[in-house]
Amino acid sequence: MIPAPVKIIVAGGFGVGKTTLVASVSEIPPLTTEELLTEASDGIDDLAGVEGKATTTVALDFGRITISPKYVLYLFGTPGQERFWFMWDELARGAIGCVVLVDTRRLDSSFAAIDFFEQRRIPFIVAVNCFDDAERYAEDEIRAALAVPPHVPIMLCDARDRNSAKLTLIRLIKHAMSELPVG
């Protein structure tokens, strides 16, 4: 039996950890399109809160994880910078859902991803990537700050940790399944 493909998107703002999450959970060496940040991005990419960031995704990240003999997850990480958002529609086509990864140090970079998936009615969860130097907030504070509807799950994760990334994907799959039409 050939396992059925299940497409999942990992989206969010610039520098929130999308590439890291895909890489931490992928059973294959992930395909990344990381390029060095150059002077051309000066004044375009906001490095506030991520001053040490030296690379950026310019197209997509891709990883795979087999979750059972019946299903294989194909993970697609979106580029975070606004100038690459034109690719999101193609990346999202056929996806069962999305992990919107957020960084509490820069919540404003999360609104575009949340709006994108809400407008297209693609199920999503919000996963707060717990950076070492970021303040911790309660779920209700994050929900209010991001104006996330009550039915959308919010969870904490560490994109560097394989088990945490797996739990995030499980939460998304359960949420996406709960959003399926009855009948």
Side-chain angles (χ1 to χ4, degrees):
M1 174 199 299
I2 297 174
V6 178
K7 184 177 184 181
I8 290 180
I9 303 299
V10 179
F14 175 68
V16 298
K18 299 174 297 292
T19 300
T20 301
L21 188 139
V22 170
S24 74
V25 75
S26 181
E27 66 192 16
I28 62 170
L31 166 71
T32 62
T33 58
E34 290 283 295
E35 294 294 333
L36 289 174
L37 287 171
T38 65
E39 290 180 16
S41 70
D42 284 352
I44 297 172
D45 295 327
D46 181 7
L47 294 175
V50 289
E51 291 82 2
K53 187 165 176 58
T55 62
T56 187
T57 300
V58 297
L60 63 97
D61 300 311
F62 174 78
R64 182 186 78 204
I65 182 169
T66 303
I67 58 171
S68 78
K70 290 183 172 183
Y71 300 103
V72 174
L73 299 183
Y74 291 101
L75 309 173
F76 291 83
T78 65
Q81 309 92 313
E82 186 174 352
R83 67 183 179 273
F84 297 124
W85 289 351
F86 67 91
M87 291 185 261
W88 285 29
D89 275 318
E90 286 301 318
L91 289 173
R93 185 166 290 136
I96 66 152
C98 176
V99 173
V100 175
L101 202 56
V102 303
D103 177 351
T104 58
R105 301 169 300 177
R106 300 175 300 116
L107 281 180
D108 58 328
S109 72
S110 306
F111 292 114
I114 291 169
D115 290 346
F116 180 90
F117 293 99
E118 278 183 335
Q119 289 171 4
R120 285 156 185 83
R121 294 190 173 112
I122 297 173
F124 69 95
I125 66 167
V126 172
V128 178
N129 195 3
C130 296
F131 288 93
D132 294 335
D133 61 342
E135 282 193 51
R136 303 296 190 249
Y137 297 94
E139 179 184 323
D140 60 329
E141 293 175 297
I142 294 166
R143 186 175 303 284
L146 293 174
V148 173
H151 74 278
V152 174
I154 295 177
M155 65 181 294
L156 302 178
C157 78
D158 182 340
R160 303 166 295 186
D161 181 75
R162 182 174 175 82
N163 287 329
S164 184
K166 279 183 180 180
L167 290 173
T168 301
L169 296 175
I170 290 167
R171 184 76 180 268
L172 171 64
I173 292 166
K174 287 180 178 180
H175 175 63
M177 289 174 62
S178 75
E179 294 285 303
L180 291 173
V182 177

